[in-house]
Amino acid sequence: MNLQSRITLMFAALLIIVTGISATIIHSFLLDNLITQQKKELTLKGQFWIEKIKHSDEAFEAEDIAELDKLLVSNRKVEILLLGKKKKVLYTSLPSSNLNQWLQALERKAEKRTDKNIWLVGGDDYVVVSLGLKNDEKQRLILASPVRGLKEVRMELTEKIIVILLIGVGSAILLSFFITRSMVRPLSRLTKEIKKVQFRRFSEVQLVPARGEIAEVSESVYSMAQELDRFHEIQRQFLQNASHELKTPLMSIQGYAEGIRDGIFADDAAHKGLDVIVSETNRIKHIVTEITLLAKLESEEDLFHPATHSAADLVNRAVERLHPIKLQQNIAIAIRTYGEDGIVYVDDDKILQALLNLIANGLRHATEQIEIKIQSGKRFVTIEIIDDGDGIPEDLLPHLFHRFVKGKNGDVGLGLAITRAIIERSGGTIEVKNGVFTGAIFRITLPLQQPGSHI
């Protein structure tokens, strides 16, 4: 049974239970209310008649009796008993066969059941009102209405109430069916989209329109599918690029090794081939080392050992290590610090490697100089590395930090991916853009160490 059917059945069962209990309670209290209302009505009409009539002693005019019958015509059945002094019957609507029973019941002051308003006379229950006449309290007007008629009224009202409740229950169940369907339909569609994720059809996943919490889940699933699709594409490109990067040096190694083995290369050619083999072997080793490092940076938790360091000191140390290359390429490096010295809580070896990658990248592309700006704020320190080269092609900018993405004069294409992993694992961010009057601008943002805490 699907979710929609289960919710509808549960709601229907709950409504039926609540409706059944309500109908039972209404049915049990309805008779009491009808008896109370009947007594009030008889009392009001009896008092009205008593106030209106004019009689002396035990004489009642025919118009007075007719007026009383007229007042009580709206009731289903009302028995009238007018008693004079010494319980003399002045007028009654009771048949003579029942009169003695009423007089005996009145003599015994009536047999009462649980409700004092109910008299048992001749095996029947009656709602009885006894009113004294205004001229003499010993003269009384007794009005009696059989409870059997009220029970019939109660049954009619109960049947109507049950019909109304059933119509309400049916309407509520029907309404709940459509409401539930509007809620469950997005879940059903969402299940289909999740199955696409299960079978790795990430690009086919669509955003399911919904509301409330279901909309949040739908958006999360859609975002997850997009991210997985992007990651899957990156992985695919990574495997292609990795195989390409490794295939080229391996082919060179294989070609020279087979040539030396078969005697094709001899003497100087053989030495040259061995040099190529050693060089390509080192290249493969370098690629494997960087791939391994990148994998560790993205997975291992205990790889970083942070401590407090000056951001300016880290930049100066990185520049000093690249001093030979700077002299060889005749590139000037200017370091400018703004604000106070920013203290960061990072692994200095990892951050140095990231800075070395960025500054070395700048040295490869700069024409005459590189400018490094260090600016400390309230919560972050920003390091900008700006070269005066030609900049980065616009189509390459969005993918520059991906694996095996190389620009002009690039090496393996893993350096910037490693740099991003180090910066992000250190709690910072890195971004790149082209300057208006300069080349590329790499901006690193690292959180400052807050007083009394470690980041």
Side-chain angles (χ1 to χ4, degrees):
M1 186 181 295
N2 58 29
L3 180 61
Q4 181 180 355
S5 300
R6 290 201 300 269
I7 293 176
T8 305
L9 285 177
M10 290 173 60
F11 183 71
L14 180 62
L15 275 179
I16 291 172
I17 292 172
V18 172
T19 303
I21 294 174
S22 302
T24 303
I25 294 173
I26 292 172
H27 182 76
S28 62
F29 285 102
L30 192 56
L31 182 60
D32 294 337
N33 291 331
L34 287 173
I35 290 173
T36 302
Q37 293 298 323
Q38 180 75 335
K39 184 179 179 181
K40 288 181 179 179
E41 183 179 355
L42 292 176
T43 301
L44 289 173
K45 290 185 176 183
Q47 290 175 344
F48 179 79
W49 181 78
I50 291 172
E51 292 292 332
K52 189 175 181 182
I53 64 170
K54 295 179 181 179
H55 72 286
S56 59
D57 297 331
E58 297 181 357
F60 285 94
E61 298 179 1
E63 292 83 359
D64 295 334
I65 301 302
E67 184 69 24
L68 181 60
D69 287 332
K70 184 178 179 181
L71 282 174
L72 299 174
V73 73
S74 61
N75 295 84
R76 290 176 178 269
K77 181 175 178 59
V78 178
E79 302 293 353
I80 303 171
L81 180 59
L82 273 171
L83 296 178
K85 296 178 180 179
K86 298 181 181 181
K87 296 184 173 55
K88 179 181 178 181
V89 178
L90 303 178
Y91 172 78
T92 183
S93 62
L94 294 167
S96 57
S97 59
N98 291 342
L99 182 59
N100 291 332
Q101 293 178 346
W102 274 92
L103 292 175
Q104 292 173 7
L106 184 64
E107 185 71 25
R108 296 191 307 267
K109 297 182 180 180
E111 294 181 24
K112 298 180 181 179
R113 289 192 172 181
T114 55
D115 195 324
K116 63 183 179 180
N117 297 324
I118 306 299
W119 287 17
L120 176 63
V121 181
D124 291 327
D125 291 330
Y126 289 88
V127 178
V128 179
V129 172
S130 179
L131 302 172
L133 300 183
K134 61 183 179 180
N135 292 338
D136 188 354
E137 284 294 328
K138 292 183 180 180
Q139 292 181 321
R140 305 196 67 79
L141 169 65
I142 298 174
L143 302 175
S145 177
V147 175
R148 182 175 59 253
L150 297 178
K151 290 181 178 179
E152 293 174 356
V153 173
R154 179 182 69 169
M155 185 58 64
E156 291 178 5
L157 291 175
T158 301
E159 291 175 354
K160 292 179 180 178
I161 290 172
I162 290 175
V163 170
I164 293 172
L165 289 176
L166 288 176
I167 293 174
V169 168
S171 302
I173 292 174
L174 188 62
L175 181 62
S176 101
F177 174 79
F178 288 107
I179 294 175
T180 305
R181 186 173 68 174
S182 67
M183 293 173 58
V184 172
R185 183 180 296 173
L187 288 176
S188 302
R189 291 187 56 187
L190 194 57
T191 302
K192 295 179 181 179
E193 301 304 319
I194 292 175
K195 287 183 178 180
K196 294 178 182 178
V197 176
Q198 178 184 355
F199 294 104
R200 300 189 178 186
R201 292 153 47 196
F202 308 121
S203 60
E204 299 179 14
V205 176
Q206 299 179 351
L207 179 62
V208 177
R211 295 179 180 177
E213 290 79 1
I214 300 178
E216 295 179 6
V217 175
S218 175
E219 291 173 0
S220 298
V221 170
Y222 182 69
S223 299
M224 178 187 67
Q226 287 186 317
E227 188 65 21
L228 287 173
D229 187 44
R230 186 183 68 83
F231 179 76
H232 181 70
E233 181 64 21
I234 291 173
Q235 290 292 98
R236 187 183 64 81
Q237 292 179 358
F238 170 76
L239 292 175
Q240 290 179 349
N241 294 332
S243 62
H244 175 74
E245 292 291 335
L246 293 173
K247 183 178 181 181
T248 302
L250 284 174
M251 289 178 61
S252 298
I253 292 172
Q254 181 183 8
Y256 277 102
E258 290 177 350
I260 294 172
R261 182 195 63 187
D262 297 336
I264 298 174
F265 299 109
D267 300 330
D268 292 340
H271 286 291
K272 183 179 178 181
L274 291 174
D275 290 339
V276 171
I277 290 174
V278 171
S279 175
E280 294 300 312
T281 302
N282 289 331
R283 176 176 169 79
I284 292 175
K285 182 180 178 181
H286 175 64
I287 294 173
V288 172
T289 300
E290 292 205 332
I291 290 175
T292 304
L293 174 60
L294 186 57
K296 289 181 178 181
L297 289 172
E298 293 178 346
S299 60
E300 294 187 12
E301 296 295 332
D302 300 329
L303 194 63
F304 284 68
H305 305 284
T308 55
H309 298 280
S310 164
D313 180 61
L314 291 172
V315 171
N316 284 314
R317 287 164 60 185
V319 171
E320 287 176 4
R321 293 190 185 185
L322 293 171
H323 187 66
I325 301 176
K326 179 185 71 169
L327 293 177
Q328 182 180 1
Q329 297 186 1
N330 194 25
I331 302 295
I333 299 179
I335 302 175
R336 293 182 174 84
T337 304
Y338 303 91
E340 298 180 358
D341 187 15
I343 303 301
V344 292
Y345 186 69
V346 295
D347 186 321
D348 60 335
D349 287 338
K350 302 297 187 298
I351 293 297
L352 276 174
Q353 184 173 1
L355 291 172
L356 287 170
N357 288 343
L358 292 176
I359 298 173
N361 182 77
L363 288 172
R364 283 197 301 270
H365 297 89
T367 303
E368 295 181 356
Q369 68 172 359
I370 294 175
E371 183 182 8
I372 302 177
K373 295 180 180 180
I374 307 170
Q375 185 169 5
S376 181
K378 293 182 178 180
R379 297 179 58 190
F380 299 93
V381 61
T382 302
I383 302 172
E384 289 188 346
I385 301 170
I386 308 169
D387 64 64
D388 61 350
D390 297 330
I392 301 169
E394 292 296 328
D395 59 338
L396 190 61
L397 276 174
H399 313 287
L400 195 62
F401 294 106
H402 293 173
R403 304 169 183 177
F404 294 106
V405 174
K406 295 186 293 185
K408 184 180 179 182
N409 301 324
D411 185 15
V412 179
L414 292 174
L416 292 180
I418 291 173
T419 299
R420 183 182 67 172
I422 292 173
I423 298 300
E424 291 180 351
R425 284 290 299 274
S426 300
T429 60
I430 183 171
E431 56 185 8
V432 61
K433 65 179 181 178
N434 288 319
V436 179
F437 303 106
T438 60
I441 302 174
F442 286 87
R443 179 181 290 112
I444 297 174
T445 302
L446 292 172
L448 291 172
Q449 181 191 16
Q450 301 301 319
S453 64
H454 285 167
I455 297 172

